Amino acid sequence: MASAAGTTGETAGALERSKLQRHFGRLDIFFFLVCTLVGIDGLGTLATVGGQGFTWTLICVALFAVPSAMLLAELGAALPDEGGPYVWVRAAFGHLAGAVNNFFYWVTNPVWMGGTLVGTALGGLITFYNGGEEYSRAASYVFAAVFIWAGVLFAVLSFRVGKWIATIGAIARFVLLGLFSVVVVLYGAEHGFHGPSLGEYAPTFSGLVALVPLILFSLVGFELPSAAGEEMEDAERDVPAGIAKSVVATALLYGLPVLGILLVLPTDQATGLTGFPDAVKQALTVFGGTVETSADGTVVATLSGAGLWAGYVMGALVAVVAFTSGLTWIMGSDRTLAVSCYDGAGPRALGTFSARFGTPVRVNVLSGVMSSVVFVAVTEITSGSIAKFFGVALGLAISTTLISYLGIFPAAWKLRRSRPELRRPYRAPALGLLTVVSTGWILFCTVQLLFPGLGDDWFGEDYRPDGWEHAERWTYLLTEFVPLVLFVAIAVAFWAVGRREARAAVAAPRHEEVEPVR
């Protein structure tokens, strides 16, 4: 027998789903996934420990991206409901688990948008437009406000518009990373390649701890289009096909640029904030400019002529890629939060879709507010240092993201047993093994994000983020741990409010009958 709260959720869900608009085809899903999965905010960090950044990327693609993609392809084809990731976890483990897991899934993206992505875009502009000098705090605030709220505006628009922004973002990735790969070859032909020795490509434990959480963060998101499952034209066929193609594209668009950074930029000069833009700038000197080595060994590239104009274009592309990364995640995760709220796992006021746009406008605005708060908070904590800001924001975004997959990945295995009657157009092979492997990676990385280097040298030089000192490890832990505790508390509160509102709606007397729409 269905619970009263569940019945109310189904009624509310039917009302909100009637506002959805189908605009999402197979090619749209592919471009959306490329835009979702391929970011540049972590490329510089992957090069900070030498050649093993490239090695660990290949390992994670084979042993994490492929297994997890198979799990998510089965879920997306079998349960193509709006709010996919929330629906899967709730169906497998119940409303409370679904509510908490989904809040982490959602909150990651305002944190990422207002943190790392703003920092990445600023890093590109600093490198190509401001001579490598950081902008003032006031200028950073103005830029962040435009960056965040332009994203909110596009998220409010329907998928009819939003999918084209994602397509532009995907094309920008192909252009930026493709051109960089070509320019690296030209630069190497002219100046020679100066990458790490062959032995430096060997994977190590320090590389595992320092890089794998970031790599996994870069390789999750195959499920995101399923957040708009009922806005797809044919989810059962298009989701598995789109995921399969995006795995290949993601491997190429990550592997080649990381290798390019290693071949162009000295390892000890690569940074998380500007490592990729610095490598691009140095390579672009083949079109005009100079590369000099200062007394302290720092390589400084100066662009001129055609190289300068090429730098302006590449800097703009860096900002576009960062912006569209956040936009696609906001578009998807905001839908999952809205679905959970009309399903009784959050405040009903947030579980509404616009009849005009078919989008969760209230949650979109909430994401903008949260992103703005994150930017202000982290900026003040780090005293306006963009480099330190980048490290804190990236660590928090990674931890909240990976935690949400502790519920999503096991859902496929659980539902295979509890819901055997479901039609599964795609069935993942060796489901139990895929679940253990995918979830195991997430568990290990979650611990290491909170305690970098635990088991070897907690917060040692090889493990701590850029800009931090060993004496600041407790401060770093608090910046990561306190928000996680706060997010759990908010998620449980959301769930409690949603259940109370659902019960109240059932208990309320009905004085009027609503005339059916004719």
Side-chain angles (χ1 to χ4, degrees), residues 148-183:
I148 291 167
W149 288 98
V152 171
L153 174 62
F154 282 116
V156 166
L157 301 176
S158 71
F159 255 114
R160 179 183 297 173
V161 175
K163 70 180 184 180
W164 289 110
I165 305 300
T167 299
I168 291 170
I171 293 172
R173 283 157 173 77
F174 286 120
V175 173
L176 174 64
L177 301 178
L179 284 178
F180 174 63
S181 300
V182 171
V183 172

Side-chain angles (χ1 to χ4, degrees), residues 181-310:
S181 300
V182 171
V183 172
V184 163
V185 173
L186 296 176
Y187 182 87
E190 182 173 329
H191 299 283
F193 294 108
H194 307 286
S197 64
L198 188 61
E200 293 182 75
Y201 285 88
T204 65
F205 180 76
S206 62
L208 172 68
V209 172
L211 297 179
V212 170
L214 172 61
I215 297 173
L216 264 57
F217 174 71
S218 302
L219 294 176
V220 294
F222 292 105
E223 78 295 332
L224 192 65
S226 294
E230 293 177 49
E231 296 169 73
M232 294 180 182
E233 295 173 358
D234 189 352
E236 291 187 356
R237 293 179 53 198
D238 295 346
V239 167
I243 288 177
K245 293 175 183 176
S246 64
V247 169
V248 177
T250 299
L252 292 174
L253 290 175
Y254 272 127
L256 293 178
V258 171
L259 187 59
I261 295 174
L262 292 168
L263 294 175
V264 172
L265 199 64
T267 299
D268 59 0
Q269 193 177 327
T271 68
L273 175 64
T274 60
F276 178 65
D278 282 346
V280 173
K281 187 174 184 180
Q282 186 170 329
L284 287 176
T285 58
V286 297
F287 300 122
T290 60
V291 178
E292 299 176 352
T293 303
S294 63
D296 63 359
T298 300
V299 176
V300 179
T302 303
L303 297 176
S304 61
L308 183 63
W309 289 102

